[in-house]
């Protein structure tokens, strides 16, 4: 897409240099994930940017898609993280941030699922904010141990919570840092990026499919932390104290939260900055992806990867995308 061909070749050229003692630290060039639950179909891909492929640098983006629970009570988490450019070990930072958030979500799966099913937005917003802050607290502690500045030992992270129950179409987004949240509805892209401060933006309110909203007697923010810490034994001294510092600002930006109800035919797209920027900046790419993805059936994994890596002149960063098709 664009007026000129992309600067770099479309295929990888150079492998990253690796220490023989750290082979477990290898990052594959490309990762693909997919699943289908109830009315939703998930397609996700993370690929090394063209510039990193040319320079032999590892992929800085991380992608994690996991399921907690079984049957209709299951909860799917998709986490996307992007490490800081030119910082040491950024690929590890991104992966660890996804894993720590997934660990916390998994430990609180039953409560989270209940809050999503009952549209308890207050508990979801405050609880997910806490879990995210704790993960960033662990990053700050790790930076101190390694003698690094916190700004060099951090990453953007963006997550989707997708309930598996076919009657629940509530989709929950939360995260910190750069990237994009888009919805393709009736062939038109809508930029759903929420402002900081946990505010929902355009779109309908969150509604439960069962008992509706919580009763008026239920406080919107429980007096105690709504979700347990991922691992009490792993708390670092620099972690935020939930009683004295309930709303610390992560080094990478404000906490963002959005919960809304999907309609049949919607396609929801969560992506790292490597795809969000060309999607916002190059109309031809937005038009192409709208044409390709505005269909009742989700594409196969190979077709989704081909679409996600469509080249655009001037954009050569890692790209990670997770899209959800609503039947």
């Amino acid at each position: 897409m664009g007026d000129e061909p992309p600067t770099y070749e479309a295929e990888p050229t150079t492998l990253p240099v690796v220490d023989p003692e750290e082979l477990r630290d290898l990052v594959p060039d490309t990762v693909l994930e997919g699943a289908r639950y109830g009315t939703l179909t998930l397609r996700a891909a993370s690929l090394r940017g063209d510039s990193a492929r040319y320079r032999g640098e590892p992929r800085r983006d991380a992608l994690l898609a996991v399921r907690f629970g079984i049957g209709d009570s299951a909860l799917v988490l998709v986490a996307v993280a992007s490490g800081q450019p030119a910082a040491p070990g950024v690929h590890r930072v991104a992966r660890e941030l996804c894993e720590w958030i997934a660990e916390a979500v998994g430990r609180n799966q039953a409560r989270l699922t209940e809050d999503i099913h009952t549209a308890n937005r207050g508990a979801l917003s405050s609880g997910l904010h806490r879990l995210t802050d704790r993960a960033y607290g662990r990053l700050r502690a790790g930076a101190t141990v390694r003698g690094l500045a916190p700004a060099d030992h951090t990453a953007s992270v963006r997550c989707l919570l997708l309930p598996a129950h076919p009657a629940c179409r509530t989709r929950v987004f939360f995260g910190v840092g750069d990237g994009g949240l888009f919805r393709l509805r009736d062939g038109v892209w809508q930029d759903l990026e929420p402002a900081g401060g946990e505010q929902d933006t355009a779109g309908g309110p969150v509604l439960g499919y069962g008992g509706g909203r919580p009763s008026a007697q239920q406080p919107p923010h429980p007096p105690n932390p709504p979700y347990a810490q991922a691992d009490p034994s792993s708390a670092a001294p620099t972690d935020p104290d939930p009683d004295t510092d309930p709303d610390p600002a992560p080094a990478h930006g404000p906490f963002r939260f959005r919960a809304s109800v999907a309609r049949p035919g919607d396609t929801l797209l969560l992506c790292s900055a490597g795809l969000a920027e060309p999607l916002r900046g190059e109309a031809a790419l937005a038009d192409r992806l709208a044409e390709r993805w505005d269909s009742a059936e989700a594409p196969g994994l190979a077709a989704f990867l081909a679409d996600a890596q469509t080249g655009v002149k001037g954009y050569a960063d890692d790209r990670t995308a997770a899209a959800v098709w609503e039947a």
Side-chain angles (χ1 to χ4, degrees), residues 52-140:
R53 285 173 164 178
Y54 178 78
R55 303 176 195 280
E57 299 171 349
R59 176 167 49 90
R60 293 184 292 109
D61 279 8
L63 168 67
L64 182 64
V66 291
R67 173 179 62 116
F68 300 109
I70 59 175
D72 288 346
S73 63
L75 184 65
V76 174
L77 167 72
V78 182
V80 172
S82 300
Q84 291 286 83
V90 291
H91 56 292
R92 289 189 295 271
V93 172
R95 184 177 65 246
E96 288 175 350
L97 192 54
C98 288
E99 290 174 351
W100 290 338
I101 289 178
E103 180 183 347
V105 168
R107 289 177 179 270
N108 294 279
Q109 178 261 329
R111 176 69 185 275
L112 280 164
T113 302
E114 178 184 358
D115 287 340
I116 292 174
H117 285 183
T118 59
N120 193 345
R121 183 191 181 280
L124 286 168
S125 177
S126 60
L128 293 171
H129 193 169
R130 251 175 230 283
L131 295 184
T132 304
D133 283 340
R134 286 187 175 122
Y136 275 93
R138 294 177 71 173
L139 280 185
R140 289 191 290 270

Side-chain angles (χ1 to χ4, degrees), residues 258-272:
R258 180 186 177 86
S260 58
V261 177
R263 296 180 186 173
D266 282 354
T267 301
L268 184 66
L269 174 64
L270 173 77
C271 56
S272 65

Side-chain angles (χ1 to χ4, degrees), residues 12 25-35 42-49 53 58-66 77-81 91 94-95 98-99 270 272 275 300-309 318-323:
D25 200 35
L26 280 173
V27 182
D29 178 271
T30 302
V31 173
L32 283 172
E33 289 283 6
L42 171 68
R43 295 289 180 260
S46 182
L47 55 145
R48 198 160 47 129
R53 285 173 164 178
R59 176 167 49 90
R60 293 184 292 109
D61 279 8
L63 168 67
L64 182 64
V66 291
L77 167 72
V78 182
V80 172
H91 56 292
R95 184 177 65 246
C98 288
E99 290 174 351
L270 173 77
S272 65
L275 181 58
L301 289 178
F304 179 76
L305 174 62
D307 293 337
Q309 66 182 1
D318 294 353
R319 286 189 184 180
T320 303

Side-chain angles (χ1 to χ4, degrees), residues 7-41:
T7 302
Y8 301 97
E9 297 182 31
E11 300 297 336
T13 55
T14 305
L15 291 170
V17 176
V18 64
D19 186 329
E21 302 298 327
E22 298 180 356
L23 291 177
R24 292 183 180 180
D25 200 35
L26 280 173
V27 182
D29 178 271
T30 302
V31 173
L32 283 172
E33 289 283 6
R36 178 175 294 170
Y37 295 99
T39 61
L40 68 86
T41 300

Side-chain angles (χ1 to χ4, degrees), residues 233-252:
S233 64
S234 67
T238 55
D239 279 0
D241 184 333
D243 296 321
T244 61
D245 189 13
D247 222 18
H252 216 73

